[in-house]
Amino acid sequence: MKDFLKIFGVLCLIVAAFAMGRNYGEKSLQDSTQYQAFLKDQVACQFDKNQYENLKAKFQNVVDGASTKKTEELLGQILQIFLADLGLRIQNQQAFLKIQSCTPPEPATVPPVISALAPQPAPLAEKKSPRERAAVADIKKFHSYEWMLTSSGSASEVQSNLKNVEIKNIDPFLKSTTPATPQQMESIYGSYRGRVFDQSKNEFATLAIEINLRQESEKTLLTGSIKMFKNGKETVGHRFTTSQLGYAINGSSGFIIDSGNHYYQVYKITGTQQIAGYFYERLPNGTTNTIGAFTLNRVDQF
């Protein structure tokens, strides 16, 4: 019996020594500089892999939708990935988005003898003037900037992209819009509040916009208000119940809210759930005065 107890005691000591040695070895390895560096490299590698997969998916989405989008829209999407995901700085975004038009070569002159025998070519379509071509190019670029604004992921991106969609002359611009139905304006339903800054970046006023849907018998209406405050006092108070609050900007998700001689150009920022835009005044002589820009936060959701 004594021999058994001795053997059992020796075995217990061996097991205890083995356990202590193993724990000491593992702790020493985990505390070592090489092991810590290995863990950091492993985490960084996994982070880089996730970023790569994310970028790959975004570019794949752009490629998949290429057949239904215009060149300027595709460039706008690619530019947004460069800015937001890769952190690149592009000094001149307008130059990046600029598409140089290629002028087709002049048709070769057919000798008189051959042209007399050959069938007469169909008359050429009337060429557009440089002013008309520029107007078409500008509206395409404008829609690209609108897409960049609505896709902004931060406050700084909103401010940077907002300056590219300012309307210089509201009257001709409204001719390219269509009356917006209450259903079309669903993206901007809710209550929003924020500050308006004038062209000198000084605070002009506080703006509060509320737009809600109301169903009355067979009519679908929009009800709400647009209020502006200066020094705590309400200076603008436009309350409405209407079937048409404004106009839809064709080719984009933006709207023009009509408030008499004042207009609000409004876009929903998908990532931040804000609305951003410009506040304009139409002067008696027909010219447009930009009063300020705004970014409003939604205040009816928590």
Side-chain angles (χ1 to χ4, degrees), residues 70-246:
K70 298 177 182 178
T71 303
E72 289 79 1
E73 292 179 277
L74 294 176
L75 284 176
Q77 292 180 351
I78 294 172
L79 177 60
Q80 186 65 25
I81 295 175
F82 285 167
L83 296 175
D85 296 275
L86 296 179
L88 300 182
R89 295 181 178 274
I90 299 177
Q91 296 296 332
N92 191 343
Q93 294 185 16
Q94 293 185 358
F96 180 86
L97 292 173
K98 185 177 181 181
I99 305 296
Q100 297 292 345
S101 60
C102 297
T103 304
E106 293 291 335
T109 304
V110 181
V113 175
I114 298 178
S115 61
L117 300 175
Q120 294 297 319
L124 295 175
E126 182 182 355
K127 293 183 178 180
K128 292 184 178 180
S129 68
R131 182 182 297 274
E132 290 174 318
R133 289 199 300 270
V136 173
D138 286 345
I139 195 64
K140 290 180 179 178
K141 187 180 295 184
F142 182 83
H143 289 326
S144 297
Y145 287 137
E146 288 181 309
W147 180 87
M148 291 169 60
L149 173 62
T150 57
S151 303
S152 298
S154 65
S156 59
E157 283 185 34
V158 172
Q159 296 304 316
S160 176
N161 293 324
L162 185 58
K163 62 185 180 183
N164 295 319
V165 298
E166 181 183 353
I167 301 171
K168 301 299 183 181
N169 197 337
I170 195 72
D171 282 1
F173 187 88
L174 289 176
K175 294 179 180 178
S176 65
T177 63
T178 55
T181 65
Q183 292 82 356
Q184 282 179 294
M185 303 186 78
E186 181 180 1
S187 62
I188 59 173
Y189 289 174
S191 297
Y192 302 86
R193 191 180 184 93
R195 292 178 292 176
V196 180
F197 292 90
D198 62 23
Q199 298 294 73
S200 300
K201 308 301 181 184
N202 297 318
E203 184 174 345
F204 175 78
T206 297
L207 177 62
I209 296 180
E210 181 178 358
I211 303 174
N212 296 303
L213 187 69
R214 175 187 292 180
Q215 196 73 35
E216 292 186 358
S217 63
E218 297 181 357
K219 291 184 178 180
T220 301
L221 303 174
L222 292 178
T223 181
S225 62
I226 300 176
K227 300 178 183 179
M228 198 167 290
F229 303 89
K230 283 188 177 182
N231 299 321
K233 296 182 179 180
E234 183 177 321
T235 57
V236 174
H238 177 209
R239 293 163 179 79
F240 55 84
T241 299
T242 179
S243 59
Q244 187 198 331
L245 184 58

